[in-house]
Amino acid sequence: KAGVTQTPRYLIKTRGQQVTLSCSPISGHRSVSWYQQTPGQGLQFLFEYFSETQRNKGNFPGRFSGRQFSNSRSEMNVSTLELGDSALYLCASSFSSGGDTQYFGPGTRLTVL
Amino acid sequence: QQQVKQSPQSLIVQKGGISIINCAYENTAFDYFPWYQQFPGKGPALLIAIRPDVSEKKEGRFTISFNKSAKQFSLHIMDSQPGDSATYFCAAIPSNTGNQFYFGTGTSLTVIP
């Protein structure tokens, strides 16, 4: 089975721009979660989507948004980028929502200049 | 507020030695405790996980010890190898609230030959 894939792997943007990241979960998985990883804050939960509905949301500003499509693929969008948004963005997929094992993708490295 | 506290931040162990990483939590609603291993440039990968109905789980050289009354759990890596050099994250998730994982801040393990 193919693992979780994320595109693009690397992105460089400037302040004020917006960015869209994509995640394709493992086949058959319906839950997709997004995390932000930084050296200072570690892994911080952004949000989870299950069957196209946002199930949970972490403590991030409204500039961070996401969606999930009927094929379980997910996108996250960050608008009005700030320098502090530079991070590794990780997507994780699970078969179900509710304490299920999460399988992570390789991440998208976003650099904001 | 860090819901899962992890220590030490870094650890250096001789090849063949035992690596021990500790985590503590306060939220008694947590009922699933996975450990993830992350290599540079990769996403976290599930190593081993435990639920609070058991006090220990062993898989190969990796063991989780769980102390429900103390709200602590730890990862033991027996016969540590240079290939184990990575960052290790503990995590916890409450029941019936989706897949919002709370991660520790990570431990950078270096195993020297």
Side-chain angles (χ1 to χ4, degrees), chain B residues 24-85:
Chain B
Y25 64 96
E26 288 297 326
N27 188 346
T28 55
F30 288 148
D31 73 346
Y32 179 63
F33 303 88
W35 284 88
Y36 283 84
Q37 178 190 57
Q38 186 177 27
F39 293 104
K42 305 283 187 182
L46 178 68
L47 197 59
I48 186 173
I50 198 168
R51 295 202 183 265
D53 52 345
V54 297
S55 60
E56 186 175 282
K57 182 175 182 180
K58 184 176 181 180
E59 290 184 1
R61 296 184 294 110
F62 302 91
T63 300
I64 299 179
S65 296
F66 186 83
N67 187 328
K68 188 173 181 178
S69 60
K71 291 183 280 188
Q72 296 175 347
F73 58 110
S74 59
L75 175 69
H76 295 233
I77 306 175
M78 311 300 287
D79 187 27
S80 298
Q81 300 296 313
D84 297 330
S85 297

Side-chain angles (χ1 to χ4, degrees), chain A residues 13-21 34 36 38 46-47 49 54 57-67 75-87 89 110-113:
Chain A
K13 293 285 187 180
T14 56
R15 277 180 301 174
Q17 287 187 309
Q18 76 164 21
V19 67
T20 298
L21 312 182
W34 289 88
Q36 181 194 67
T38 59
L46 280 155
F47 30 66
Y49 285 87
Q54 188 179 85
K57 189 177 193 307
N59 189 25
F60 278 83
R63 300 185 297 107
F64 291 82
S65 62
R67 59 177 175 167
E75 289 181 345
M76 70 163 279
N77 184 276
V78 188
S79 62
T80 320
L81 284 166
E82 300 177 358
L83 295 178
D85 296 333
S86 294
Y89 289 89
L110 172 64
T111 302
V112 182
L113 303 175

Side-chain angles (χ1 to χ4, degrees), chain A residues 9 31 33 35 37 41 43-45 48 55-58 88 90 94 96-106, chain B residues 2 31-32 36 38 41-46 49 51 87 89 93-105:
Chain A
R9 293 293 312 278
S31 169
S33 299
Y35 292 83
Q37 185 176 27
Q41 299 295 319
L43 281 150
Q44 301 282 311
F45 174 80
E48 178 199 5
R55 176 104 197 248
N56 286 297
K57 189 177 193 307
L88 180 67
L90 292 160
S94 303
S96 65
S97 176
D100 197 2
T101 299
Q102 292 195 332
Y103 298 88
F104 283 84
Chain B
Q2 195 69 33
D31 73 346
Y32 179 63
Y36 283 84
Q38 186 177 27
K42 305 283 187 182
L46 178 68
R51 295 202 183 265
T87 300
F89 294 93
I93 180 170
S95 57
N96 301 320
T97 60
N99 284 333
Q100 182 169 355
F101 279 46
Y102 294 88
F103 282 88
T105 49

